[in-house]
Amino acid sequence: MKTCKRNSRFPMFVTLLTLIFLYVPLILVAVASFNSSKYGGAWNSFSLKWYDRLFNERAIWEALANTLFIALISTAISTTLGTLSALALYRSKNRLKGIYYALIHTPLIVPDILQGISLLLLFVTLINLCGSLCRSLFGIELELGMTTIIIAHITFCMSYVAMVVLDRLHEFDYTLLEAAQDLGASGMYTFFRVTLPQILPGIVAGALFAFMLSIDDFVITFFVKGAGDTTLPIYIQSAMRRGTPAVINALSVVFLLVTFVIVFIAQKLVTKNSESKK
Amino acid sequence: MKSRLRNISNWIIGAPSFVWLVVFYAIPIVLVFLLAFKPVDAYGGLGEGWTLKTILDLRNPSYPAIIWRTFWQGIVSTTVCVAVAIPISYQLARMNSRWKNVILLLIIVPFWTNFLVRIYAWRVFLHADGIFKNLLVAIGLIEESTTLLYNQWAVLVVMIYTYIPFAILPIYASAEKFDFSLIDAAKDLGASSFYAFRRVFLPVISKGIWTAVMVVLIPAFGAYLIPDLVGGPSSELVGDKIAQRVFIDRNLPHASALSALLMLAVFLPMLLGKWLNHMRRRRQTREGRT
């Protein structure tokens, strides 16, 4: 064996290859979105017509409105519930903690198709059991729709928020709390003036995650949505099924740009925090 | 008294999310197992009474091949992702912070890019009149008649593509804390780069590797969209079958039985991993004591 070798180039080589692997398909889509040819095989000429088509497509705007509506509501609720559960998990020491932790942690790993179908089965069972009762008593029709989509989104977003906030809590300087209490601050006062400002970046990051996850989700939404509901991912999927209309190229580029900007901001937030801590 | 008060306030804080998760996560999982014992009604919904027929229907002759494919594709994609993620994390952890942040950003962006957009990009990339296909034909690697899309290799490549960032992030997180002077020390003592890497670096990031295996393997078992969009009829996975039973030949109890099977495949490795971890920790504390 050779001894005293300088740092191997191999890791750098793998990193570069992987980055190429990750970006080549995406770049090709971006190039194709400016190609006037419909099937994107050969380069025809530069054109913005797919973007023009994209911005004039009514169905896309409707899907976007639905997506944002669902994302905003589920982000608000899941951020609240997730933060509270992180606080409870962080402070509790009793036997239920293990179960509680498993309940919050495992949804992060369980495949989305299983979350989708299990929620669908729940909703179907509920509709079977109390559908007619609800109709006759309150005049409410229980059915799959925006409400079931929002419930599903809150459920899977919550765990992410809880984990991010919990991470932040574990880095939390506990002596600050004791100092505040020694100085006579009440529990409420300590929470709002000491704990909350400390974990706020975690909450913001969690909310951002939740928002992105909600916008991104296709599988779970597809299982629990009603017949007419479309979100952007649902729209893209049905467009892909109908063939591959070039409008999707343009839509993908818009998606990529938005993702890039959001991730860039989130990254800045996170690194700024870790630097200011040092 | 004070700790009692604290306990109560903890309950109040924790209760809403606890109840939410029990109702919308735990109970639905139990339902998946329960409804596998329901007969199907005329509309494909849940029939009256209970039956074993649904479970027995799982002996469909096409299923063993599908289950086997789901299994090996999951294993292969996990192995590739982790094998690639380890050198990348090593590289990232060694880099100075400016370049590190740039590369990290470049890895995170595809991770957050819409899942469908990423799959779509592969459909464009592997398309029959796409650049890549034409290039391969021009070099003479493939025939004009070969299709790159709609087979299990396309499914595997896109799965790896999708899960690579999932593998990199946890391994990088544990590599980041690694003290690289240890490797230099090992090399000063005569170890080769690879030996130092294997004996000094790998043990430190083993926890990250475990996490990476979990977050890639388990979702890979449930893959459904990828085989649905870039695979063909001969590359279906368990996830596709579940979706077909729900959306195409509507039969909810059958879908439920299949999902129960998949649920076991998901939770057993999770429990096994937890148990192994527990045993390892116990062994460590015992060794530490003696």
Side-chain angles (χ1 to χ4, degrees):
Chain A
M1 266 187 182
K2 258 196 291 175
T3 50
C4 225
K5 219 165 69 180
R6 283 297 303 152
N7 295 331
S8 159
R9 294 245 171 78
F10 179 72
M12 190 63 204
F13 182 67
V14 176
T15 310
L16 287 179
L17 270 187
T18 307
L19 285 179
I20 293 171
F21 176 63
L22 286 176
Y23 279 90
V24 164
L26 296 176
I27 290 169
L28 222 66
V29 170
V31 172
S33 75
F34 297 107
N35 187 354
S36 62
S37 139
K38 188 165 181 184
Y39 292 104
W43 180 261
N44 209 341
S45 63
F46 180 85
S47 130
L48 287 174
K49 73 174 175 189
W50 304 119
Y51 289 90
D52 191 49
R53 188 82 60 87
L54 177 69
F55 291 114
N56 288 315
E57 175 94 39
R58 251 187 77 92
I60 289 185
W61 288 104
E62 268 167 38
L64 177 70
N66 280 343
T67 307
L68 290 178
F69 176 73
I70 294 165
L72 285 175
I73 295 186
S74 40
T75 302
I77 299 179
S78 64
T79 305
T80 316
L81 287 175
T83 306
L84 287 178
S85 67
L87 283 169
L89 256 179
Y90 179 68
R91 304 201 312 192
S92 79
K93 283 175 188 68
N94 62 22
R95 299 234 315 276
L96 267 178
K97 187 176 173 175
I99 300 173
Y100 196 5
Y101 187 77
L103 269 180
I104 294 209
H105 189 72
T106 54
L108 301 180
I109 321 183
V110 171
D112 41 11
I113 190 168
L114 287 180
Q115 295 188 38
I117 185 145
S118 61
L119 275 168
L120 173 70
L121 292 173
L122 175 80
F123 294 139
V124 168
T125 314
L126 282 179
I127 292 170
N128 276 359
L129 288 179
C130 359
S132 53
L133 192 74
C134 265
R135 200 178 309 130
S136 52
L137 273 185
F138 310 108
I140 304 171
E141 189 72 46
L142 287 184
E143 55 184 8
L144 298 174
M146 289 298 251
T147 320
T148 49
I149 298 179
I150 291 173
I151 289 175
H153 281 218
I154 293 171
T155 313
F156 68 74
C157 291
M158 213 163 106
S159 303
Y160 279 87
V161 178
M163 284 301 135
V164 175
V165 176
L166 197 62
D167 258 7
R168 186 83 200 172
L169 277 167
H170 281 309
E171 293 169 11
F172 184 70
D173 187 0
Y174 212 72
T175 51
L176 281 177
L177 275 190
E178 283 165 4
Q181 268 153 8
D182 285 346
L183 293 169
S186 70
M188 273 299 190
Y189 189 84
T190 319
F191 177 77
F192 282 107
R193 300 304 294 266
V194 183
T195 314
L196 198 59
Q198 283 268 331
I199 61 170
L200 198 61
I203 299 177
V204 173
L208 219 54
F209 274 169
F211 190 74
M212 300 280 282
L213 283 168
S214 171
I215 290 184
D216 194 37
D217 179 70
F218 168 80
V219 176
I220 298 177
T221 311
F222 195 57
F223 272 88
V224 300
K225 79 185 186 70
D229 306 314
T230 45
T231 62
L232 270 185
I234 302 274
Y235 177 86
I236 298 179
Q237 191 257 6
S238 67
M240 270 160 81
R241 291 240 130 187
R242 273 177 281 153
T244 45
V247 180
I248 300 298
N249 287 328
L251 186 58
S252 302
V253 173
V254 175
F255 248 112
L256 262 174
L257 284 178
V258 172
T259 315
F260 196 82
V261 171
I262 294 181
V263 172
F264 189 73
I265 294 170
Q267 185 93 331
K268 274 267 164 328
L269 275 175
V270 174
T271 45
K272 215 196 226 158
N273 280 324
S274 60
E275 268 159 24
S276 67
K277 245 187 304 172
K278 283 167 199 164
Chain B
M1 176 61 206
K2 202 165 177 187
S3 77
R4 185 91 171 269
L5 203 72
R6 215 183 131 90
N7 247 334
I8 294 170
S9 78
N10 241 349
W11 265 108
I12 298 171
I13 291 175
S17 48
F18 188 81
V19 171
W20 184 283
L21 285 168
V22 168
V23 173
F24 294 116
Y25 176 65
I27 291 181
I29 286 178
V30 176
L31 266 182
V32 166
F33 286 95
L34 269 184
L35 298 183
F37 296 97
K38 277 274 181 195
V40 58
D41 74 3
Y43 306 102
L46 309 164
E48 297 284 323
W50 302 91
T51 177
L52 276 175
K53 190 179 169 295
T54 316
I55 301 277
L56 295 177
D57 280 348
L58 283 183
R59 292 176 307 180
N60 185 319
S62 67
Y63 282 178
I66 291 173
I67 292 172
W68 170 241
R69 196 181 301 123
T70 308
F71 179 75
W72 79 255
Q73 294 222 338
I75 301 281
V76 170
S77 48
T78 308
T79 314
V80 174
C81 287
V82 171
V84 169
I86 292 173
I88 295 178
S89 316
Y90 180 86
Q91 181 64 34
L92 277 173
R94 284 213 93 143
M95 278 180 150
N96 68 40
S97 73
R98 218 175 103 215
W99 277 107
K100 181 162 73 185
N101 284 338
V102 172
I103 294 188
L104 216 50
L105 183 73
L106 287 176
I107 290 170
I108 296 173
V109 167
F111 177 76
W112 281 118
T113 302
N114 188 288
F115 189 33
L116 280 154
V117 167
R118 279 177 288 162
I119 301 176
Y120 174 75
W122 275 93
R123 276 169 62 118
V124 172
F125 186 60
L126 298 178
H127 195 269
D129 348 288
I131 278 187
F132 187 61
K133 166 87 184 283
N134 290 335
L135 191 77
L136 289 183
V137 172
I139 308 174
L141 272 177
I142 57 168
E143 303 281 316
E144 184 64 52
S145 58
T146 324
T147 43
L148 299 173
L149 267 176
Y150 311 121
N151 57 52
Q152 58 183 359
W153 301 108
V155 175
L156 198 59
V157 169
V158 179
M159 271 168 82
I160 292 169
Y161 182 81
T162 311
Y163 295 129
I164 274 186
F166 284 83
I168 295 176
L169 296 177
I171 297 181
Y172 166 68
S174 59
E176 196 188 19
K177 296 167 207 138
F178 181 73
D179 178 5
F180 278 93
S181 58
L182 288 176
I183 290 223
D184 294 333
K187 281 200 221 160
D188 285 345
L189 293 170
S192 71
S193 291
F194 183 66
Y195 188 81
F197 168 81
R198 193 163 61 91
R199 295 303 296 270
V200 183
F201 182 68
L202 274 191
V204 175
I205 60 164
S206 66
K207 202 173 163 234
I209 295 178
W210 263 112
T211 312
V213 169
M214 284 293 162
V215 298
V216 176
L217 186 64
I218 293 175
F221 280 157
Y224 140 64
L225 251 191
I226 298 172
D228 192 44
L229 291 171
V230 302
S234 62
S235 47
E236 286 176 324
L237 303 181
V238 174
D240 294 276
K241 282 291 159 198
I242 296 176
Q244 277 173 23
R245 295 294 168 266
V246 173
F247 299 112
I248 299 172
D249 43 85
R250 188 144 174 102
N251 185 339
L252 280 184
H254 194 108
S256 172
L258 268 177
S259 311
L261 206 70
L262 187 57
M263 201 75 88
L264 286 178
V266 164
F267 277 103
L268 289 182
M270 253 198 251
L271 290 173
L272 188 75
K274 216 172 153 54
W275 183 74
L276 282 175
N277 208 2
H278 179 74
M279 292 310 274
R280 204 183 54 184
R281 217 174 289 155
R282 252 180 52 188
R283 208 174 53 224
Q284 274 169 357
T285 49
R286 211 182 301 140
E287 275 165 10
R289 236 181 276 140
T290 50

